[in-house]
Amino acid sequence: TQSTWERFHLRFLRSGFKGMLPREFRAKNGTTAPAPELNDRNREEPSLYFGSVDKCHYVIDLDLPGQAEESYLNREGFEVLSMAKFLVAERSPAWARVLYVPWFSEHWNTYAPYVLLRNAALVPDHGQRGPMDEATREATRAAEEEFRARVQGAAKRAGKKTAPQREEV
């Protein structure tokens, strides 16, 4: 039987980035094998992208304010397994990023959700992490709303424009 590491492979979905991406690690010959798809000019190589998000078992997504790429946070069929705050340097003053001070840093810095999502169609329940029950789903929605409200409130206090609110799916 295969271990978890052998069953899943880290791949990239097409986004706004148009440079060279790391290739998938190959167990045989590792990094010593020649890689004809890589180049020394940082040119985009389409063969390094994974075909479709619908074929992904899990997705890690950073939902930056104002990004042009699709956000997977509210995509139907994907469930949030974990969410963390990601400091958005471009929208946070340098002096507030240098030193973390409880409340003060939350007030001045801008954060975006960094999420781990599970494709419910491809990863069955098996009684382990499965689909969220209604209470958990409601708690997750409430936490997301609170997070977005705090981000918007901090941006308003700092005189910044905020990203438009998303409608719940």
Side-chain angles (χ1 to χ4, degrees):
T1 133
Q2 291 181 318
S3 72
T4 301
W5 298 109
E6 294 170 321
R7 290 184 308 153
F8 295 103
H9 302 275
L10 179 65
R11 301 293 303 272
F12 293 90
L13 295 168
R14 199 171 286 282
S15 69
F17 179 74
K18 300 296 179 205
M20 177 55 66
L21 295 167
R23 72 172 184 167
E24 186 175 6
F25 179 78
R26 297 176 183 149
K28 186 176 181 180
N29 297 326
T31 56
T32 61
E37 69 274 11
L38 300 181
N39 63 73
D40 62 354
R41 306 230 190 271
N42 197 27
R43 288 193 194 127
E44 180 180 35
E45 175 52 49
S47 69
L48 295 175
Y49 291 112
F50 190 68
S52 167
V53 69
D54 295 322
K55 295 178 182 178
C56 293
H57 290 81
Y58 297 94
V59 173
I60 298 172
D61 188 29
L62 176 59
D63 192 16
L64 293 169
Q67 73 183 20
E69 295 89 11
E70 176 184 5
S71 168
Y72 301 111
L73 184 59
N74 294 318
R75 188 181 176 100
E76 191 171 331
F78 283 82
E79 295 180 321
V80 176
L81 293 180
S82 181
M83 182 184 296
K85 295 186 307 185
F86 185 90
L87 189 132
V88 181
E90 300 82 30
R91 294 186 176 213
S92 302
W95 56 267
R97 297 187 322 247
V98 173
L99 180 66
Y100 176 78
V101 178
W103 184 85
F104 188 79
S105 296
E106 298 288 330
H107 177 77
W108 287 101
N109 288 324
T110 299
Y111 297 91
Y114 198 46
V115 294
L116 171 61
L117 303 154
R118 175 180 74 90
N119 185 336
L122 296 179
V123 182
D125 183 355
H126 295 304
Q128 295 170 359
R129 288 196 184 105
M132 288 189 264
D133 60 27
E134 197 53 42
T136 306
R137 187 179 312 282
E138 188 54 41
T140 301
R141 275 193 205 118
E144 288 174 9
E145 286 174 21
E146 178 187 349
F147 176 77
R148 286 194 180 106
R150 289 175 72 188
V151 167
Q152 292 233 341
K156 285 178 185 173
R157 286 188 293 277
K160 301 175 191 175
K161 291 185 179 180
T162 58
Q165 287 290 98
R166 286 191 222 300
E167 294 182 26
E168 290 294 322
V169 179

